[in-house]
Amino acid sequence: MADFDYDLFVIGGGSGGVRAARTAAATGAKVGLAEESRMGGTCVIRGCVPKKLMVFASTYRDTFADARSYGWDFPDGTFRWAPFRDKLHAELDRLEEVYRSLLDKSGVDIHDARASLADPHTVRLDGGRTVTAKHILIAVGGHPVRPEIANAHLGLVSDDIFQLDALPKSVLIVGGGYIACEFACILSGLGVEVTQHYRGAQILRGFDDEARGLISEMMQARGIDLHLGTNIVDLRPASEAPEGPVGTGSDAAMGAPVGVGDATATVVEPARPSATARPGGPVWVKATNGSARSFDHVIFATGRAPNTSGLGLEEAGVTTGRRGEILVDDYSQTSVPSIYAIGDVTDRIQLTPVAIREGMAFTETVFKGNPTKPDHALVPSAVFTQPELGTVGLTEEEARDQEPVDIYCTSFRPMQQAFAGRQDRVLFKLVVSKDSRRVLGCHIVADHAGEMIQLAGIAVKAGLTKEQFDATCAVHPTVAEELVTMAVPIRSA
Ligand SMILES: Cc1cc2nc3c(=O)[nH]c(=O)nc-3n(C[C@H](O)[C@H](O)[C@H](O)COP(=O)(O)OP(=O)(O)OC[C@H]3O[C@@H](n4cnc5c(N)ncnc54)[C@H](O)[C@@H]3O)c2cc1C
């Protein structure tokens, strides 16, 4: 048998890679791991963790306002970005160290280097060194992508938000997915004037339609200037904006409206790529809805792509899909038997707990002799907008395509916010199979919906019926009691 340097070599020290490395090392395997950037990956350094801390920071504005309605008396305060950002980065440094020391204590060899495949058993590290391994696990994650429009390089992406020197006065967020909507709510909560453009008919594609509708309404009610069915047609540095008052937010900034049959139209030259302008400065944007104005920043939240370029996949014979994602079987094995892949780079479900579970299933399969498929069914998840969306299982739209369903749904103003004079509404929705009575989907729009769906997700995953939900006594007075008190379906579908 060939003699390898390692039993397992992991490329990527993010959520999936670190968990797989640690669990494999715990079986006695000799494990090496290469990370080209900071240990902890997207979740810890530029995703879930810093984002959630920003969510917390942004919600205090409502808390302070509500407190006054509850009789508290205190002067207006202001949010100071710089001390918050410094504390945030200190926390990320601490967490990175925790990840590093967990690997260290597990006996994993850490290589602070970029790695790529040389062949099915060989990994090339930055600097030319190579190591061999019986098994290689690719867990390199993904990166944000900008749209293919002129001057897109002027816009920021989610990674950049955590590094801002100062909080902008105004931003345009482009995109309608969960990252776009979360940052729209965060920045708005911190006092930034937020405009959001999304080319689709409704934000949060893939989530339940009623939940999407309510979140969209609530975001607009909070002052986010959301424009659906809207695309950028021209983007340039604010200093190169066409003549006319810039930054008014009105059509005047375009010079004049441009349109077929408009005798007064002034044709604005299409933007040429600006070689001098650097990312992150003020930009001027003209959109398909006729608006034309400057923003302190444009933030593109227009999707993510797998980190597969330059990884040596072709040399090793690993097959990729149309978007560059690594194709794997149910056990995360690639087209090359010695090479496995987990997490965002496989583009199955791009969530931290899923990457972690895929890593653990990999160890069970390869190092514990217990072939285990990661379970991608009924994964609960949350969107940390304000209010939050918690969801598990099928949307109404998905379920009704599969079988007849009863829909139980209620929407109301919760006591806490209603007392404070806020117009916020919550939504609780259960999608129930007419035939088996199983709850196929649960969708909650409410403060703390992320916490609620973690608990409701257990019941849905366990396959409980609507009648078993209802057999559970309500906790009163809570908003979540609606989960067990919706007696009559509002419709069948
Ligand atoms: C803004 C944002 C918010 C998010 N919020 C949530 C959330 O609330 N909840 C949730 O569950 N998920 C969230 N996610 C998704 C979550 O972060 C990812 O699903 C998760 O981190 C994927 O883990 P991974 O191990 O596949 O990859 P990653 O965590 O991305 O780790 C990959 C690592 O590989 C390294 N790497 C890449 N190429 C190489 C190479 N050639 N050599 C060496 N190292 C390499 C990278 O530097 C990185 O550290 C969020 C993501 C973003 C961007």
Side-chain angles (χ1 to χ4, degrees):
M1 200 170 82
D3 214 7
F4 298 108
D5 298 328
Y6 291 105
D7 298 312
L8 170 66
F9 196 88
V10 180
I11 307 181
S15 308
V18 168
R19 183 60 65 94
R22 285 176 53 207
T23 50
T27 68
K30 185 163 171 24
V31 181
L33 179 147
E35 169 54 56
E36 68 171 341
S37 174
R38 295 181 63 183
M39 204 60 81
T42 304
C43 172
V44 177
I45 306 297
R46 46 194 170 268
C48 328
V49 173
K51 172 201 79 184
K52 191 75 190 284
L53 289 168
M54 285 185 77
V55 169
F56 290 139
S58 69
T59 54
Y60 285 107
R61 195 165 72 147
D62 282 347
T63 308
F64 292 146
D66 289 357
R68 288 205 176 90
S69 305
Y70 276 86
W72 290 88
D73 186 20
F74 49 86
D76 280 345
T78 48
F79 174 71
R80 291 187 304 135
W81 168 252
F84 168 75
R85 185 207 48 210
D86 293 351
K87 191 153 186 240
L88 174 74
H89 284 289
E91 177 63 3
L92 303 186
D93 292 346
R94 187 186 70 80
L95 290 173
E96 184 181 358
E97 258 331 291
V98 169
Y99 269 71
R100 212 168 255 284
S101 102
L102 285 172
L103 284 170
D104 220 28
K105 285 188 188 134
S106 308
V108 175
D109 279 354
I110 298 175
H111 300 264
D112 288 301
R114 179 171 169 79
S116 57
L117 299 172
D119 68 40
H121 291 285
T122 309
V123 172
R124 195 181 295 116
L125 297 172
D126 262 354
R129 203 184 141 207
T130 57
V131 291
T132 58
K134 185 171 181 200
H135 301 284
I136 296 170
L137 179 68
I138 305 175
V140 292
H143 62 276
V145 287
R146 292 175 170 80
E148 289 185 7
I149 57 174
N151 290 327
H153 70 282
L154 299 178
L156 305 178
V157 292
S158 61
D159 294 358
D160 304 317
I161 298 175
F162 311 114
Q163 311 294 339
L164 287 170
D165 288 335
L167 209 55
K169 284 203 169 54
S170 63
V171 294
L172 169 65
I173 296 184
V174 182
Y178 83 92
I179 292 175
C181 295
E182 288 178 342
F183 279 114
C185 291
I186 289 169
L187 292 172
S188 168
L190 295 178
V192 177
E193 180 209 325
V194 177
T195 304
Q196 186 176 357
H197 288 176
Y198 177 49
R199 65 182 176 176
Q202 185 54 282
I203 55 168
L204 297 174
R205 188 160 61 91
F207 292 92
D208 187 87
D209 276 356
E210 276 167 343
R212 299 164 73 193
L214 182 56
I215 302 248
S216 169
E217 300 252 334
M218 299 294 310
M219 285 172 62
Q220 291 174 73
R222 273 161 195 272
I224 295 166
D225 190 18
L226 174 64
H227 296 271
L228 300 168
T230 302
N231 263 326
I232 291 181
V233 291
D234 197 350
L235 168 72
R236 39 181 106 185
S239 56
E240 294 173 24
E243 278 184 36
V246 169
T248 61
S250 75
D251 280 350
M254 295 163 59
V258 178
V260 178
D262 183 344
T264 63
T266 305
V267 177
V268 175
E269 284 288 309
R272 270 184 246 114
S274 175
T276 48
R278 300 215 345 262
V283 284
W284 179 86
V285 175
K286 181 181 157 191
T288 49
N289 65 356
S291 68
R293 56 164 291 189
S294 292
F295 298 92
D296 285 349
H297 293 298
V298 167
I299 299 170
F300 290 116
T302 42
R304 294 178 63 80
N307 285 331
T308 42
S309 104
L311 204 57
L313 296 174
E314 269 181 36
E315 290 94 312
V318 174
T319 315
T320 53
R322 204 168 53 84
R323 295 185 60 249
E325 77 280 13
I326 296 180
L327 299 178
V328 290
D329 69 8
D330 287 350
Y331 298 91
S332 303
Q333 192 171 30
T334 71
S335 51
V336 177
S338 59
I339 303 178
Y340 288 69
I342 56 166
D344 284 8
V345 74
T346 61
D347 197 16
R348 287 175 281 182
I349 299 178
Q350 296 196 13
L351 291 172
T352 287
V354 175
I356 289 173
R357 283 174 160 249
E358 288 170 358
M360 285 158 54
F362 160 80
T363 295
E364 281 293 322
T365 302
V366 177
F367 289 97
K368 294 191 180 176
N370 174 29
T372 302
K373 299 177 185 177
D375 181 1
H376 293 113
L378 295 171
V379 172
S381 68
V383 178
F384 295 101
T385 40
Q386 292 164 32
E388 293 178 8
L389 166 60
T391 185
V392 61
L394 299 180
T395 65
E396 177 179 344
E397 296 71 38
E398 289 166 339
R400 74 181 177 213
D401 282 348
Q402 292 185 13
E403 60 177 300
V405 284
D406 284 331
I407 304 300
Y408 297 80
C409 187
T410 180
S411 174
F412 57 95
R413 288 173 70 203
M415 182 162 79
Q416 186 183 8
Q417 286 86 353
F419 184 86
R422 279 208 263 149
Q423 296 304 313
D424 293 32
R425 297 188 75 78
V426 297
L427 177 129
F428 286 83
K429 179 168 178 178
L430 295 177
V431 180
V432 177
S433 162
K434 255 187 190 302
D435 182 33
S436 68
R437 300 298 295 156
R438 276 180 62 162
V439 176
L440 303 175
C442 174
H443 311 281
I444 303 173
V445 178
D447 286 352
H448 310 296
E451 305 289 344
M452 293 186 219
I453 207 68
Q454 180 66 81
L455 304 179
I458 299 170
V460 176
K461 182 76 181 166
L464 299 193
T465 62
K466 175 70 169 71
E467 284 62 36
Q468 287 169 313
F469 270 60
D470 293 352
T472 308
C473 194
V475 179
H476 184 75
T478 64
V479 281
E481 66 183 301
E482 298 296 327
L483 280 174
V484 296
T485 58
M486 290 185 284
V488 184
I490 57 158
R491 63 178 171 273
S492 296

